[in-house]
Amino acid sequence: MTKAANDIRPATFTGNRALQIEEPLIFETGAPDRSGVDITVPEGENRLGGLERRSEIGLPGLSEPETVRHYVRLSRNNYAIDTGIFPLGSCTMKHNPRANEKSARLPGFADIHPLQPQNTVPGAIELMETLSHWLLTLTGMEAVALSPKAGAHGELCGMMGIKAAHEASGENAQRRIVIVPDSAHGTNPATAALLGYEVRPVEVREDGTVSPDAVRAIVGPDTAAMMLTNPNTCGLFEPDIIEIAEILHEAGAYLYCDGANFNAIAAKVRPGDLGIDAMHLNLHKTFSTPHGGGGPGSGPVIFSKAIAPFAPLPRVVAGQDGAALAEFADDVPGEQPFGRLTAFHGQMGMFVRAMAYMMAQGADGMRQASEDAVLNANYIRARLRDVFSQPYGDRICMHEVLFDDHFLKDTGVTTLDLAKALIDEGFHPMTVYFPLVAHGAMLVEPTESESKHSLDQFIDAMRALAKAALAGETERFTEAPRFAPRRRLDEVKAARHPVLRWEPPQQAKAAE
């Protein structure tokens, strides 16, 4: 507890507040002579072959009740979609039905070993084939690779497929440019650069979308592809995407689409109909499981007819005896897979969760979820537009609404200050300072499953904070968060000098 915090809230003898315990590190709580279990050292031959540890390992010792209390108290310091509204723009905090979790933990799925013979896991392969069928139906595409482990991994997979297509045509050496709009996800240019391409940016026009004329002006025989995020990071659907795809195809280039925001258009728009050649889908974001919590993620990639022959292995393919895993190039005659991205077949747990979500929702339910996501974002936009400023005007948005800091001009309050003040009000902050094209950006994305009541609570808090900022209550913001377990961090120091490992006060001496 800092002195500044004590200035606001009276100190207690213990350092605790009400029933909230000031939780020390587990190393500071435990002692080497305490333990929750007794482990008997087995008699007989030592199977470690002389490699056993000879020094103290320094694990904290706690009784079972102490261990349980420690982690329960830590969990109370977490904020999650199960705790309240989580309006993190560009990262859907998806409602995660417990039935999906229960399905993923069924022994037939959870206990599979990746090296098991295929004939021992027909149910899992059938689920992968069914999931692939649903993804292709939703997207109107030709082939799908389930193996990528996350969105950025999917980007790499899709662009490697495009690169393989250029290599097959003998044009890879001349096609070295990838066009990336400044409204794209930040991983897009990184992915292109990782593959050795030169990234050529294109600015968005005044309404926040990409102009076909701007693309036409820079595309040429050296263009390999364009990476377009749709809906884009400004929360807007690209209305000219079909014309942009046609421009690229006429030039012999391909269109990669960042499908991280597919949850806004699922069962509403088929990417294949838009002229997209490759696109990743975040199963963990669009089809259940909260995103941004450290995983597990899953980023299957869908391919157009032109790129499908180059999709990586392993893949599920339909055979005379049912679905099977294609592990080697000989398993897909006539195709030219560019190789493998991962050792095995992807995140089975995420496949099950996504499939459970799809089966529970059905086509009409997924369409409704997309419509609700857009409705919720526009409800927030409509109720805040008289106070908060919007960089591209008051336009209908998709699943997320973008504000900027223009309305805070001359108040002494910044976007970061407002986000920190939201913590004091009991809400996780929105995404700030992203996308970079908007000054002082505040990107708000409500989960489609949020009720009007919870949206109104968030909106009322946002309006109250804006009113306080405009009224000159600067200290309320610059000192925020005032009521969180920890006060505001020195973010520059935290980034440049992170403390990633606990160090004991005294190093243990090796036992001789």
Side-chain angles (χ1 to χ4, degrees):
M1 179 66 66
T2 65
K3 183 177 184 302
N6 286 333
D7 291 341
I8 297 173
R9 292 172 295 179
T12 59
F13 174 75
T14 59
N16 303 325
R17 298 182 296 279
L19 298 179
Q20 295 291 319
I21 307 299
E22 179 70 8
E23 184 69 15
L25 298 177
I26 194 169
F27 295 98
E28 298 167 342
T29 303
D33 59 347
R34 278 185 283 163
S35 174
V37 295
D38 292 324
I39 300 176
T40 302
V41 178
E43 297 181 356
E45 184 180 356
N46 185 343
R47 296 188 297 174
L48 296 177
L51 298 177
E52 63 270 23
R53 180 181 289 273
R54 295 181 180 276
S55 62
E56 296 289 341
I57 57 177
L59 291 177
L62 290 89
S63 68
E64 182 174 335
E66 289 172 328
T67 305
V68 171
R69 288 171 181 171
H70 175 77
Y71 287 105
V72 169
R73 289 196 290 258
L74 284 184
S75 72
R76 294 172 68 184
N77 287 332
N78 281 340
Y79 189 91
I81 192 66
D82 290 339
T83 310
I85 183 173
F86 208 126
L88 194 63
S90 204
C91 289
T92 312
M93 289 298 135
K94 195 78 174 183
H95 167 57
N96 194 36
R98 294 300 182 267
N100 298 5
E101 290 298 311
K102 188 173 183 179
S103 300
R105 285 167 172 73
L106 291 172
F109 296 124
D111 296 340
I112 294 176
H113 192 283
L115 293 178
Q116 276 186 243
Q118 288 192 36
N119 60 9
T120 65
V121 288
I125 295 175
E126 182 177 346
L127 182 141
M128 294 169 69
E129 197 278 334
T130 305
L131 175 62
S132 299
H133 170 73
W134 280 56
L135 293 178
L136 294 177
T137 301
L138 283 168
T139 57
M141 301 288 268
E142 187 74 12
V144 57
L146 294 176
S147 57
K149 300 296 181 62
H153 202 203
E155 286 179 34
L156 182 67
C157 174
M159 288 301 295
M160 289 178 73
I162 289 174
K163 186 176 183 179
H166 284 311
E167 288 174 342
S169 67
E171 297 183 353
N172 186 56
Q174 73 181 59
R175 295 189 178 275
R176 307 310 306 156
I177 304 296
V178 171
I179 302 170
V180 182
D182 53 14
S183 59
H185 275 139
T187 48
N188 290 179
T191 295
L194 184 65
L195 290 174
Y197 288 113
E198 177 185 338
V199 176
R200 185 164 296 173
V202 57
E203 293 183 0
V204 298
R205 51 191 170 191
E206 291 186 357
D207 66 358
T209 62
V210 178
S211 163
D213 292 337
V215 176
R216 188 178 289 108
I218 61 174
V219 75
D222 58 350
T223 305
M226 177 173 179
M227 299 184 76
L228 183 69
T229 302
N230 192 32
N232 66 29
T233 58
C234 300
L236 303 172
F237 189 85
E238 294 289 350
D240 298 310
I241 185 171
I242 294 178
E243 184 177 352
I244 291 172
E246 291 173 348
I247 294 170
L248 291 164
H249 292 161
E250 289 172 3
Y254 296 104
L255 175 59
Y256 182 86
C257 183
D258 186 317
N261 294 333
F262 189 61
N263 61 304
I265 58 175
K268 298 285 290 184
V269 176
R270 298 196 314 167
D273 298 337
L274 304 177
I276 292 167
D277 293 294
M279 175 179 179
H280 73 268
L281 302 170
N282 288 343
L283 294 187
H284 52 277
K285 179 177 173 182
T286 299
F287 305 108
S288 183
T289 305
H291 174 51
S298 182
V301 177
I302 50 175
F303 296 96
S304 67
K305 188 175 183 179
I307 309 297
F310 307 99
L313 298 173
R315 268 185 282 141
V316 178
V317 296
Q320 294 182 346
D321 300 325
L325 282 172
E327 301 270 12
F328 306 100
D330 292 343
D331 297 333
V332 285
E335 299 187 13
Q336 300 171 266
F338 68 74
R340 282 175 176 261
L341 276 176
T342 60
F344 300 112
H345 316 297
Q347 305 278 25
M348 175 55 69
M350 297 310 303
F351 299 162
V352 178
R353 289 177 177 90
M355 198 68 254
Y357 179 85
M358 291 177 173
M359 295 181 72
Q361 297 286 336
D364 57 337
M366 284 188 278
R367 186 182 307 116
Q368 183 70 52
S370 298
E371 292 172 352
D372 289 348
V374 175
L375 178 64
N376 282 1
N378 279 284
Y379 181 67
I380 291 176
R381 178 187 59 82
R383 283 209 54 201
L384 293 179
R385 62 185 171 189
D386 61 324
V387 179
F388 283 72
S389 49
Q390 301 174 68
Y392 300 109
D394 186 27
R395 303 179 54 205
I396 297 291
C397 62
M398 297 300 290
H399 61 299
E400 53 193 351
V401 54
L402 178 62
F403 300 109
D404 64 14
D405 62 354
H406 182 73
F407 76 103
L408 292 173
K409 186 179 180 181
D410 300 329
T411 63
V413 176
T414 67
T415 290
L416 181 65
D417 296 334
L418 194 140
K420 297 297 185 185
L422 260 179
I423 296 175
D424 281 340
E425 301 297 331
F427 297 96
H428 192 284
M430 72 293 279
T431 291
V432 297
Y433 300 117
F434 181 83
L436 300 177
V437 289
H439 191 276
M442 306 176 203
L443 190 59
V444 181
E445 180 179 1
T447 307
E448 79 283 344
S449 54
E450 290 296 341
S451 67
K452 180 176 179 297
H453 176 69
S454 63
L455 293 178
D456 283 334
Q457 288 180 317
F458 173 73
I459 292 167
D460 290 344
M462 290 280 279
R463 292 186 67 86
L465 290 175
K467 183 179 179 181
L470 296 173
E473 299 178 24
T474 309
E475 291 185 357
R476 173 176 178 173
F477 295 89
T478 55
E479 294 184 354
R482 298 176 297 172
F483 308 117
R486 293 292 177 269
R487 302 295 303 278
R488 190 182 300 200
L489 299 176
D490 182 337
E491 297 189 355
V492 174
K493 185 176 181 180
R496 295 187 176 182
H497 304 287
V499 179
L500 303 177
R501 181 183 179 186
W502 178 82
E503 296 288 350
Q506 295 180 341
Q507 295 291 339
K509 294 182 180 179
E512 298 295 339

